[in-house]
Amino acid sequence: MPSANRKPRTFLGRLPLPERAVVADALRTETVGGMVLLVAAVVALVWANSFASDAYVSVRDFHFGIEALGLDLSVAHWTADGLLTIFFFVAGAELKRELAVGELRHPGTAILPVVAAISGMAVPALVYGAVATSVGGTWNGWAVPMATDIAFALGVLAVIDTHLPSALRAFLLTLAVVDDLGAIFVIALFYASTIHLPALIGAVLGLALFFHLHDQRRLHGWYWYVPLALIIWGLTYASGVHATVAGVAMGLLLRVTKDGESGRRPAEQITHLVRPLSAGVAVPLFALFAAGVTVSGDTLGQVFSRPEPLGVALGLAAGKVLGVFGGCYLAVRFTRARLSADLAWADVIAVAMLAGIGFTVSLLIGELAYPAPADAEHIKAAVLVGSLTSALLASLLLKLRNNKYRRLYEAETANANADTIPGTGPQYPNVARSASPVGRYWWTGVWRRRRLKRSSCEARATGSEVWPWTGGCGRYSP
């Protein structure tokens, strides 16, 4: 008999606080965030190709909003210009932290991922241009294959990773941060419509007020900033600049110095609170109404027969690999940057393949570059084909590399008791850390001992090693 004091549970009602905390923490992990995004994309594809496809189109194109303010937008438009602003707010906050107190504050340590990211944006654009223009296409979609979807990429890495060095994830994360910065500049500079100067000035003044309240007055409370953020977003949208730029700008204005009272950095704290909303609501809803492409023989045939979609697909699947790997190799070859002793060049190729997953931002830029629905449909299909190809190839190579590191770990663990090399045991766990909780700290020492045994150049690594990929010579590939 149920207790009289037990409150009835509402179906799909608000979860209790402990359960909400569990869900929010899960959404902060790359695996869950990537899986939620993948599920949303699959639902969109199934819905758009089912007997209920007309309902999908009706929901996606349904308009609502305040028409007097020019905000009578479709559901798809609201998710792209509205909800996706939250995603870019988180990206801007992460970028601010990396530039101010993270690893990107050291120019010497940032050179390898920065060069790789810039090359990883330039080469796909050139591949697109070479493919599209060689068969009579245009340069309109040159920016579509430039972007990397960090949620998908880190999700794939987290699912496969049990013994891969943590330097691999750190490199991918830094690469994606710089890549996001490039995508932000591209959207702001090349995809702005006619600029409405009064609205733009109003948005800038709103950002100045945001900075004054947050950084100078240091006021706390969401009720100060959420209404102001909505006003800034509305003015940015009305100015002709893409509205997601407002999210980036506010993220970059967050304070990264520690508060005297709590000792925490506001940028980190706010990002921690907003990330579940971004990963669990904003990005999946955008994917739901952006990835609904009609999959048919004709649609797929258009990807490989029309110049622009083919350029997008090859730019993601081939251009990203060539750009990221080529940038890394040239940086190591002609600068003082060095590949980590914990990584091999095969690992860099795997990361470069992961960078070819350009789902969220590529779909957004595709909609901006090709406003006509028919053209946008083909570009979206090309993004899906290129991203899926990159994900499959990267998964295959990462699985092979993971098996290689796992065998090394098992072999060294079997002989761990006989290993007496001083200064390389599990008391040094920060060199490389596996995502697996089993053997995480032992694997650190195991891998370091193997590198010390096999490579004499490790002994010549200087004390300037700050990032995992900037010290040592990386000449030995396991």
Side-chain angles (χ1 to χ4, degrees), residues 333-471:
R333 179 70 176 82
F334 295 106
T335 71
R336 298 184 65 182
R338 292 295 178 264
L339 190 67
S340 170
D342 301 313
L343 295 180
W345 283 110
D347 300 324
V348 178
I349 295 177
V351 172
M353 289 180 178
L354 277 178
I357 304 175
F359 188 76
T360 304
V361 181
S362 290
L363 289 176
L364 175 62
I365 297 178
E367 291 182 347
L368 297 175
Y370 295 93
D375 294 335
E377 190 88 354
H378 298 142
I379 295 299
K380 289 179 181 180
V383 171
L384 295 177
V385 170
S387 298
L388 181 60
T389 302
S390 298
L392 292 176
L393 292 176
S395 298
L396 177 61
L397 183 54
L398 284 170
K399 191 66 176 177
L400 295 175
R401 299 302 299 164
N402 187 69
N403 292 339
K404 181 74 173 182
Y405 286 116
R406 178 178 52 81
R407 289 193 297 269
L408 292 175
Y409 162 70
E410 292 172 350
E412 289 291 342
T413 302
N415 299 320
N417 293 333
D419 195 338
T420 59
I421 296 179
T424 59
Q427 66 269 30
Y428 293 92
N430 296 323
V431 178
R433 192 176 279 192
S434 168
S436 172
V438 180
R440 174 180 290 173
Y441 295 101
W442 263 109
W443 173 234
T444 297
V446 164
W447 181 238
R448 173 60 82 190
R449 287 195 297 274
R450 189 172 186 89
R451 299 298 297 210
L452 288 172
K453 290 178 180 178
R454 296 295 185 95
S455 178
S456 62
C457 71
E458 175 64 21
R460 299 196 300 270
T462 66
S464 62
E465 180 175 359
V466 180
W467 271 88
W469 50 81
T470 57

Side-chain angles (χ1 to χ4, degrees), residues 221-313:
W222 62 268
Y223 42 82
W224 289 102
Y225 300 104
V226 172
L228 180 58
L230 292 175
I231 294 173
I232 294 172
W233 177 88
L235 289 171
T236 305
Y237 178 84
S239 71
V241 177
H242 197 268
T244 54
V245 176
V248 177
M250 287 183 281
L252 289 172
L253 291 178
L254 293 181
R255 192 171 69 256
V256 293
T257 55
K258 292 183 179 180
D259 277 338
E261 301 175 358
S262 62
R264 291 181 292 184
R265 304 183 192 277
E268 295 177 351
Q269 186 178 4
I270 294 172
T271 302
H272 182 78
L273 293 174
V274 178
R275 189 185 299 278
L277 180 61
S278 172
V281 178
V283 176
L285 282 178
F286 169 76
L288 179 63
F289 294 107
V293 178
T294 303
V295 178
S296 63
D298 180 65
T299 302
L300 295 177
Q302 293 288 344
V303 172
F304 298 101
S305 61
R306 294 187 59 178
E308 290 86 358
L310 181 60
V312 168

Side-chain angles (χ1 to χ4, degrees), residues 151-162:
F152 257 140
L154 287 177
V156 171
L157 182 62
V159 168
I160 295 174
D161 180 15
T162 57

